[in-house]
Amino acid sequence: MSNLQKYKMLIGGEWVDAASGKHFESMNPYTGKAWALIPEGGAEDIDRAVKAAKAAFESGQWSKMTATQRGHLLRKLGDLIAENADALAATEVRDNGKLIAEMGLQLRYTPQWYYYFGGLADKIEGSVIPIDKPEHFNFTRHEPLGVIAAITPWNSPLMLAGWKLAPALAAGNTVVLKPSEFTSASSLEFGRLFEKAGFPPGVVNIVTGFGRDAGAALTSHPDVAKITFTGGPETGRLVYATGAKLLKKVSLELGGKSPNIVFDDCIIDNAVKGAISGIFAATGQTCIAGSRLLVQRSIHDEFVDKLVAFAKTAKMGDPMLPDTQVGPVTTLQQHDKILGYIDIAKGEGAECLLGGAKATRPECGSGWFVEPTIFAGVNNRMRIAQEEVFGPVLSIIPFEDEEEAIHLGNDVAFGLAAGIWTQSIRRALTVSEKIRAGSVWVNTYRAVSYMSPFGGYKDSGVGRENGQDAIREYMQTKSIWISYATDTPNPFVMR
Ligand code: NAP
């Protein structure tokens, strides 16, 4: 008898096993051992979940609720997440190995998405158009789309689910959520809170399983109105192509290779911390990692010395300990991929100043750890400067002046985020205008909020999450015309 924790999926308000009866193991990256059994959902389960979501959208309690009532439910859900934040964070750490300090903070912050969009639910107003046709009254309504397919990655499962679910539900849609196969447990635990908050059955369904089976079945289901996806660029392209074929609405939050640009007029000690937070926080497993550190040549050596000295002090080990600073990598595949990129960088001639190997410190036990790694002398054409590593690997690229910094900053396929370190307001504004990225931070890094739009330029994505406009990504506009004319003109021509 297995002593692994066994989970069930949420479909149509019921907790069920996969139709196949199969489960797969969820691994703890710190111990390298399985700790839970997750249902291996497939096309049949997805079909049941989409049908339940469609039924809840078209009839039943949810479809009859006012926007104000939906807002109340979302705020109740926010309260329940807040009450359960520590337990949910611990589950996420068990699954993705990120620090309890980081996941705890994320889970305590996640309720804000439900409060904010819950508050917004009944403030989406249409307009009366001062229409040019005599004796016609014309107005608009913003209506929900229907069933939303939400697909999330493993790095921040419940926070990123909130970025999708909160606006989607506030707008009146229903949802089928497919979390990453590597971090499904927290989403399933989160499912219980919908019941407690009083959401009607079928409004939110959670189907676990593999991307190639459950994920593909969800994105290609004819009754899905919109796909909202966060993940890697390769999968993103596949999802976009599927959506295009079936003319679904699609929004994508994809990867990044963000420039963190350090000018010689910065406060060096702050910029060093900014560089560290850009790459070693979350073990580099964030889409907004500042993995390309552009440093002005005039301060390059002094800056790099301080950076390496600081990075050397990073405490690795058990992510559940509050003072650990660098935890393991979430999956064994990712661990091997990062080590592969380190070899590529060395082969390309980058100079390894720190790390550059698997971490074998005793405190890392048998977990999947990679040493915080810093490469200097990186040329922007090297693969290590262009491709997303998604691990604790920093590439330092020197530059001469503002013009070159902007050129190098933009000379990459991605455009998710950027950092600028300077004390000059002129430079801060000029460079932030010219950088082609969805988020630009000046003298700070990795700041995100439910209030501020987030998304990618170029290959980093399509659409925006967060902020007031995000709710419009889950709505469509209807134009309603009413004639109050007493006669009907020539019916053979346009009105
Ligand atoms: P991924 O491999 O692309 O997977 C993302 C999600 O897609 C998972 O749930 C995955 O399921 C599913 N999936 C895989 N194949 C699919 C298919 N054929 N059809 C439908 N769904 C499919 O990404 P990841 O490795 O989990 O996450 C890391 C990536 O996410 C990085 O590139 C990172 O930059 C990006 N990210 C972006 C943002 C942002 O906001 N821009 C935020 C966080 C992360 P399985 O896990 O079962 O394969």
Side-chain angles (χ1 to χ4, degrees), residues 151-155 160 163 178-182 209-212 215-216 219 229-233 235-236 238-239 253-256 286-287 334 388 390 416 454 460 465:
I151 299 182
T152 47
W154 42 259
N155 61 339
L160 295 176
W163 294 19
K178 206 300 277 175
S180 163
E181 67 188 82
F182 302 109
F210 300 125
R212 61 176 181 272
T219 53
F229 171 88
T230 300
T235 323
L238 210 72
V239 165
E253 294 285 1
L254 307 177
T286 90
C287 52
Q334 189 58 26
E388 187 183 45
F390 221 59
L416 192 59
F454 181 91
S460 288
E465 295 191 303

Side-chain angles (χ1 to χ4, degrees), residues 300-315:
H300 180 276
D301 293 354
E302 178 195 354
F303 187 85
V304 171
D305 285 349
K306 285 194 166 178
L307 177 70
V308 171
F310 197 119
K312 267 187 190 157
T313 66
K315 196 169 175 310

Side-chain angles (χ1 to χ4, degrees), residues 288-341:
I288 48 182
S291 50
R292 289 191 305 146
L293 186 71
L294 275 47
V295 183
Q296 194 152 18
R297 220 177 270 281
S298 43
I299 55 161
H300 180 276
D301 293 354
E302 178 195 354
F303 187 85
V304 171
D305 285 349
K306 285 194 166 178
L307 177 70
V308 171
F310 197 119
K312 267 187 190 157
T313 66
K315 196 169 175 310
M316 298 184 84
D318 184 350
M320 284 302 284
L321 298 177
D323 59 343
T324 299
Q325 292 167 321
V326 178
V329 168
T330 298
T331 69
L332 189 55
Q333 294 94 307
Q334 189 58 26
H335 167 268
D336 294 347
K337 182 179 153 194
I338 296 168
L339 293 178
Y341 267 111

